Amino acid sequence: MEPSTSHQIHALSHNGTAANCSFQEVDRLMQYLELAIYLPIFLAGLILNIVALLVFCVFLRKWTESTIYMTNLALMDLLLLSLLPFKMHATNHLWPAELQNLCTVLESLYFVGIYGSIYVIMFIAVDRWVAICHPFRAKLLRSPRAAMGICLGVWVLVLAVICSTIYYFRRGGQTEFHCFHEFSSKGWKPVVIVPLQVFGFLLPAAVLVYCSANTIWALQQSAQRSSQSRACVKIIYSSLCAFLLPFTPSHLAIFLQFLVHQGVIQDCSSKASISLFIQTALCLSNITCCLDALCYYFIARETRSTTHAFRRSIQRRATFSTSEV
């Protein structure tokens, strides 16, 4: 049976009726393109995030604010990666109607992984900004316990929001369906898309850019530009890359598809281009699971260098005390 993919939903006009536009070429291309994108992301991301958890939890064993945030980010990425095999299967296979509830759970967890990652990356930037730009307040605001509480709050908040809105996306009364595709027209209403764009992307992006720019400026104005400050700048740039590169195109594509469903864009060729763009951008947004490895690498180096410096300091003190006796 020829799979009916998401062109059925992408072709919906403002009044909910199907427009006379063909998306067969787009869907045929995406059947192969999605697999070509997902497979390397799944394999590379799985290896990198498992290694990151081993480094943070086993080898470093130093629970600082940074390592707590990065451990939770790795868990978010692993959650996202664990769902990619289901997405790959759903690309070319219809699921029976009795798997509707399972599909809803999988879709919910997928969005939890995406928007949980967005907010964890945002709080990493906020934590750095407080530590560097407001060092006196940092003594009161920053602690491993506070970082753990923030990460727990992100998990609870994202789970609560996603689980309360996911029913908008799934159409009822289907016999066979494509999971992760064929979303209901209710999912493209302003009450869903506007908060998603504002609170899911624009607000975290604004906070991330503001905190990152101010932190980089403060480090560059510092009289003593040590190797640790240079490492911090690399962490900031890697966090910006891990956020902006995957999530900016995908949310721009969601906005354009929203305009299609609102009847603002009605040209068939434009709809086909937007259909290809949104599907490709959403596939590529999963590359954040690999880009986060940049943050893991610099965080691990910084933590390890800090630990070594602390040990050398203890050894020097011990040597000095022995020489006095």
Side-chain angles (χ1 to χ4, degrees):
M1 181 182 293
E2 181 71 19
S4 60
T5 52
S6 55
H7 73 273
Q8 296 173 344
I9 292 304
H10 293 322
L12 290 178
S13 62
H14 177 63
N15 60 6
T17 59
N20 295 320
C21 297
S22 175
F23 295 86
Q24 292 181 357
E25 291 297 324
V26 173
D27 293 323
R28 190 176 297 112
L29 174 62
M30 289 307 303
Q31 288 178 12
Y32 302 101
L33 189 58
E34 283 188 4
L35 294 177
I37 293 172
Y38 283 146
L39 280 175
I41 289 176
F42 175 75
L43 295 174
L46 195 65
I47 294 171
L48 291 171
N49 283 278
I50 290 175
V51 170
L53 284 179
L54 288 174
V55 170
F56 288 129
C57 299
V58 178
F59 296 106
L60 291 179
R61 289 182 296 181
K62 183 181 180 182
W63 291 108
T64 65
E65 293 85 359
S66 297
T67 54
I68 289 172
Y69 284 122
M70 300 310 295
T71 299
N72 278 271
L73 185 57
L75 291 174
M76 292 283 187
D77 288 341
L78 284 174
L79 174 61
L80 195 62
L81 289 165
S82 67
L83 298 168
L84 289 188
F86 296 98
K87 284 180 64 68
M88 288 187 280
H89 182 273
T91 298
N92 297 308
H93 297 85
L94 288 168
W95 288 22
E98 55 266 24
L99 295 182
Q100 282 269 11
N101 291 333
L102 174 62
C103 175
T104 300
V105 171
L106 295 176
E107 289 171 344
S108 300
L109 293 176
Y110 180 76
F111 288 117
V112 167
I114 289 179
Y115 291 100
S117 298
I118 286 176
Y119 270 87
V120 171
I121 294 173
M122 183 196 75
F123 278 113
I124 290 173
V126 173
D127 180 72
R128 289 282 172 184
W129 172 67
V130 171
I132 293 171
C133 298
H134 303 279
F136 296 107
R137 293 183 182 178
K139 295 179 180 179
L140 298 175
L141 299 176
R142 295 181 75 243
S143 69
R145 180 175 296 180
M148 189 66 72
I150 289 173
C151 290
L152 180 61
V154 169
W155 281 96
V156 172
L157 175 64
V158 176
L159 274 168
V161 172
I162 296 298
C163 291
S164 63
T165 57
I166 195 65
Y167 70 91
Y168 278 103
F169 294 91
R170 183 54 51 199
R171 292 187 294 172
Q174 292 176 294
T175 53
E176 292 182 326
F177 66 100
H178 279 283
C179 192
F180 297 98
H181 295 277
E182 300 181 358
F183 291 145
S184 168
S185 59
K186 293 189 298 182
W188 293 100
K189 288 185 176 180
V191 69
V192 176
I193 299 301
V194 172
L196 176 73
Q197 292 286 77
V198 173
F199 298 104
F201 177 71
L202 293 176
L203 179 61
V207 173
L208 176 69
V209 171
Y210 174 83
C211 293
S212 299
N214 280 275
T215 304
I216 292 173
W217 184 85
L219 290 170
Q220 290 176 343
Q221 297 299 315
S222 177
Q224 297 179 348
R225 299 183 63 183
S226 63
S227 59
Q228 191 172 4
S229 66
R230 289 192 295 270
C232 186
V233 171
K234 292 179 181 178
I235 293 171
I236 295 170
Y237 280 123
S238 63
S239 296
L240 283 170
C241 290
F243 186 100
L244 296 177
L245 289 180
F247 297 127
T248 302
S250 62
H251 284 83
L252 174 61
I254 290 172
F255 175 70
L256 292 174
Q257 188 61 38
F258 169 70
L259 296 181
V260 170
H261 283 270
Q262 295 302 303
V264 177
I265 299 175
Q266 299 182 357
D267 179 66
C268 281
S269 61
S270 299
K271 287 183 178 182
S273 300
I274 292 172
S275 176
L276 179 61
F277 178 39
I278 188 172
Q279 293 183 74
T280 305
L282 290 175
C283 289
L284 290 173
S285 66
N286 296 285
I287 203 172
T288 185
C289 300
C290 301
L291 294 177
D292 289 338
L294 293 172
C295 304
Y296 304 152
Y297 172 73
F298 292 124
I299 287 282
R301 280 191 57 183
E302 182 190 18
T303 304
R304 187 174 60 180
S305 63
T306 302
T307 303
H308 288 172
F310 178 72
R311 288 175 179 173
R312 286 195 300 268
S313 175
I314 293 177
Q315 291 173 356
R316 283 196 298 269
R317 291 178 184 177
T319 303
F320 179 74
S321 301
T322 305
S323 63
E324 286 184 334
V325 176

